[in-house]
Every structure is written in C-alpha cells, then in structure tokens.
Amino acid sequence: MTTRPDDITPLRDAPRTGVWLIGARGSVATTAVAGCAAVAGGLQPATGMVTETAPFADSGLPALADLVFGGHDTATTPLPKRAEALAADGVLPHGLPAAVRAELAAADAAVRPGGPQPGDGRGEEELIAAFAADLTDFIHTHGLARAVVVNVASTEAAPEDGETLPPSSLYAAAALRAGCPYVNFTPSTGLHHPRLRERAERSGLPYAGRDGKTGQTLLRSVLAPMFVQRALAVRSWSGTNLLGGGDGAALADPGAAAAKNAGKARVLSDTLGELPDGELHIDNVPALGDWKTAWDHISFEGFLGSRMILQTIWQGCDSALAAPLVLDLARLTARAHETGLAGPLPELGFYFKDPDGGPAALADQYAALVGFAGRLRGRA
C-alpha cells in the first residue's frame, strides 16, 4: 500500500517501488490504487492478478504492500472522490473507498499536473523536463528504489506528422530522462514515436507494450488460434464495441478509434496470416459508464465447404479487467529493471494487443510469460 503523506521515510527492509500513472485520476488508475491497497490489506482476494499465482512465486517481484503510487493527470477530481463515484457505479465494492481512503489520499497527494493544457506555452523540451523533474522528486521524496511509468490515460489519435511529440510521447520521453522503465497500456504513440526509438534503445531501460488486452481482443487471441489449429478457414470477422466513460468519449474521435482498432486487427492478422473481411465498430454510449459490451460475428468454412457461424458476446467492467494487469506489469517491469534487463520485453506480450514481438496466441504468450518469471527468479 502507499504511505501516508506524513510518513515518507522507508521503514521496511525491502526497498519500495514507485508506480507513476499517466492518467492517475482516471478509472483504471483509481481502481488499481484502491485494488492494490485492498489486496495488500487482506480486504479482497487477488482475483485477476496473474503475478499472484503459483508460477510467479519467488520471482523477486515487489510486494503489493511496497508499491507507492503517484502520477500525472490534467483532471482535478481527487482519487477518494473518484473512487466513491466508481463504487456508486458498481465498479468498486461498496465500502471499499472508505476502507482504503488513506491510501487513495496518499496517492492523490503525489499526483502532479499533466499537460500540455490549453494555453500552455511551454515547448516540448520544457514539458519533458518538467515531467521528468516530477518523477525524480517522487523517487527521492519517497525513498524509492525505482519507479515504473505506466500510461493509462485516454487514447489519443496518432500524430499527423513524424516530428511532433504527442502528449503520450512527452511522458515517455520524461520517463527515459528520469531513468524509469515504461509501460504503455494504451494504443497511444508513447515510445513508438520515431524520434524516441533510438533514445529508448540507448537508455538501458526495460519497456513494454502498447494497448492492454482486456476483453474482446483477449477473446480473439484465444479463438483465432483455434481456427488455425483445426484447419478451419475464416471468411470474415466483424465486431462491435459499446462503451462509455472516459474511454468511450475519447474513442468517439475517429483518429483515436483508428489507433485502437489497429491493435485489435493485428491480433487477427498475426494469427490467421491475413486480415479477414469485416469491420470493427466502436460506439460511445455514455449511459454505460465503465461497462462495455462487445459482439463478434465470425463466419468460417469447414469440411467440403460447409459454411458456419460463431458469435460471441463479452460484457465486462473495463477498469476491473485492466487494473490487475496494470499492477502485474508494474511489478514485472520493476523486477526486470532490478535485474538489469533492458530494451523491449516481448515476454510481456500476454498483456498487449500490440506487443513488442513474440507469439500472437494467448496460450503461447502465457508460456513465454511463465518462462520470463523463471528467468527473473534465476537472476535473484
């Protein structure tokens, strides 16, 4: 759990690890902070956290109780208030925001203004320097061994040119400058900007991903290999997503939706060898809030040309699906940094629509992840 504002001197033998969230007052970040406190305090089980399962025991991952949260955000609603709203919507258990209010308040006290805000006259270099200084101050103030930067902000459209750094890339550049490992849980550009590629390679830091795989694409990464392995020809694969909340509003922008759909399409093309016919639609339905519904319609061909259909419905809570993965990724990347690993971490492809290499099928990705846990254990 996070420390209280008046207790910033480490009291534990184990070094503490920072988790710096871009979009720190959003639904996913709030759920991650509240969930970490609840699990560490024995209030809730670690359901959905892969790193709390047997294959990851003794891998040297930082304990949940030793994670300290902070971050950047342009929003001003404090985390305790945000958690209350999520509980009212059924995302968090009733009574949990009150039970972990101290941890939420401590994390909120470490949130710094993000940007660029409208009217902000600072250039790229000034913004990167300011964000990096916030990170460095966070690490020093809390006596942290390291901090992992995790982008959980709303999806942004891809940049129209190859030069301008969008906000996600400004934060990513700041992470590199502050010497912090970086995880991009969104489809936004982040470290994938061409101007940052060489900088990332020279940094000596581990980094991972793009776009967390939590629902529809998770299911696609299981179903697509089934068709390949059973030699069934997929003729078309169409889908629709209905969602609300901040993500739904952000994805109402065609550019942001295109960035999101690119990762979803990659799972199919990498597994099937080509992208089948069909389109994916994302519709913003504000009334759904943090809940989403996804339909897939798959037409395929069997023996002697027999044509068949598979349809699926996925209904879930986006933040509850994403938050445990964010905690997993922060712990795994922190441990990778501790052991001296650097560069992209393809073994973490299990968590992403657009991973840094490696297999596309979920079962193969899980095997690679378990192998990675063994590598981390061996580097103790």
Side-chain angles (χ1 to χ4, degrees), residues 7 40 43 54 65 101 105 146 231 247 262 303 330 350:
D7 179 21
L43 303 177
R101 184 177 181 83
R146 61 189 49 79
D247 209 24
F303 193 52
F350 176 76

Side-chain angles (χ1 to χ4, degrees), residues 220-299:
R220 287 180 167 203
S221 68
V222 175
L223 291 176
M226 175 191 74
F227 289 106
V228 174
Q229 292 160 3
R230 292 299 295 268
L232 299 171
V234 175
R235 302 178 63 246
S236 68
W237 199 314
S238 302
T240 296
N241 262 285
L242 306 179
L243 71 163
D247 209 24
L251 293 173
D253 180 302
K260 187 79 170 179
N261 285 340
K264 290 177 176 288
R266 179 178 172 179
V267 172
L268 296 182
S269 60
D270 285 357
T271 304
L272 301 176
E274 61 181 4
L275 189 63
D277 290 339
E279 294 185 2
L280 180 64
H281 298 276
I282 300 178
D283 297 327
N284 178 30
V285 184
L288 291 178
D290 206 54
W291 301 82
K292 63 181 181 182
T293 297
W295 290 291
D296 271 39
H297 182 284
I298 309 156
S299 64

Side-chain angles (χ1 to χ4, degrees), residues 311-334:
Q311 297 183 62
T312 67
I313 300 175
W314 178 286
Q315 294 178 300
C317 175
D318 208 33
S319 297
L321 291 165
L325 309 187
V326 169
L327 296 174
D328 279 352
L329 286 163
R331 300 172 80 194
L332 289 162
T333 309

Side-chain angles (χ1 to χ4, degrees), residues 15-340:
R16 296 182 304 168
T17 297
V19 182
W20 188 262
L21 300 165
I22 309 302
R25 290 186 172 126
S27 297
V28 172
T30 305
T31 306
V33 174
C36 181
V39 175
L43 303 177
Q44 292 286 331
T47 306
M49 287 196 64
V50 179
T51 53
E52 286 293 294
T53 60
F56 298 85
D58 303 321
S59 291
L61 305 182
L64 292 175
D66 292 321
L67 298 183
V68 182
F69 293 93
H72 281 117
D73 207 325
T74 57
T76 57
T77 302
L79 280 168
K81 279 288 185 186
R82 191 75 185 89
E84 290 172 5
L86 290 175
D89 288 341
V91 177
L92 297 180
H94 177 71
L96 183 62
V100 298
R101 184 177 181 83
E103 287 80 4
L104 289 165
D108 193 73
V111 176
R112 297 294 175 262
Q117 297 269 37
D120 192 334
R122 291 176 295 176
E124 289 181 354
E125 180 58 31
E126 291 174 289
L127 287 163
I128 292 169
F131 296 156
D134 289 338
L135 266 166
T136 301
D137 181 67
F138 174 66
I139 292 168
H140 290 165
T141 298
H142 292 275
L144 306 176
R146 61 189 49 79
V148 178
V149 176
V150 186
N151 183 16
V152 291
S154 297
T155 301
E156 66 187 15
E160 296 181 359
D161 61 66
E163 286 301 314
T164 304
L165 294 178
S168 66
S169 295
L170 296 174
Y171 292 121
L176 296 180
R177 182 168 300 185
C180 296
Y182 176 82
V183 176
N184 190 0
F185 202 72
T186 81
S188 301
T189 303
L191 276 185
H192 283 74
H193 196 285
R195 283 176 54 192
L196 299 184
R197 185 174 297 116
E198 184 178 350
R199 207 180 307 182
E201 292 171 354
R202 293 198 317 261
S203 69
L205 297 166
Y207 49 90
R210 181 151 74 163
D211 201 2
K213 183 166 57 187
T214 60
Q216 184 179 41
T217 310
L218 177 68
L219 188 59
R220 287 180 167 203
S221 68
V222 175
L223 291 176
M226 175 191 74
F227 289 106
V228 174
Q229 292 160 3
R230 292 299 295 268
L232 299 171
V234 175
R235 302 178 63 246
S236 68
W237 199 314
S238 302
T240 296
N241 262 285
L242 306 179
L243 71 163
D247 209 24
L251 293 173
D253 180 302
K260 187 79 170 179
N261 285 340
K264 290 177 176 288
R266 179 178 172 179
V267 172
L268 296 182
S269 60
D270 285 357
T271 304
L272 301 176
E274 61 181 4
L275 189 63
D277 290 339
E279 294 185 2
L280 180 64
H281 298 276
I282 300 178
D283 297 327
N284 178 30
V285 184
L288 291 178
D290 206 54
W291 301 82
K292 63 181 181 182
T293 297
W295 290 291
D296 271 39
H297 182 284
I298 309 156
S299 64
F300 62 100
E301 195 170 277
F303 193 52
L304 304 179
S306 178
R307 293 188 174 182
M308 293 169 269
I309 299 291
L310 172 64
Q311 297 183 62
T312 67
I313 300 175
W314 178 286
Q315 294 178 300
C317 175
D318 208 33
S319 297
L321 291 165
L325 309 187
V326 169
L327 296 174
D328 279 352
L329 286 163
R331 300 172 80 194
L332 289 162
T333 309
R335 174 61 175 155
H337 183 241
E338 181 184 15
T339 62

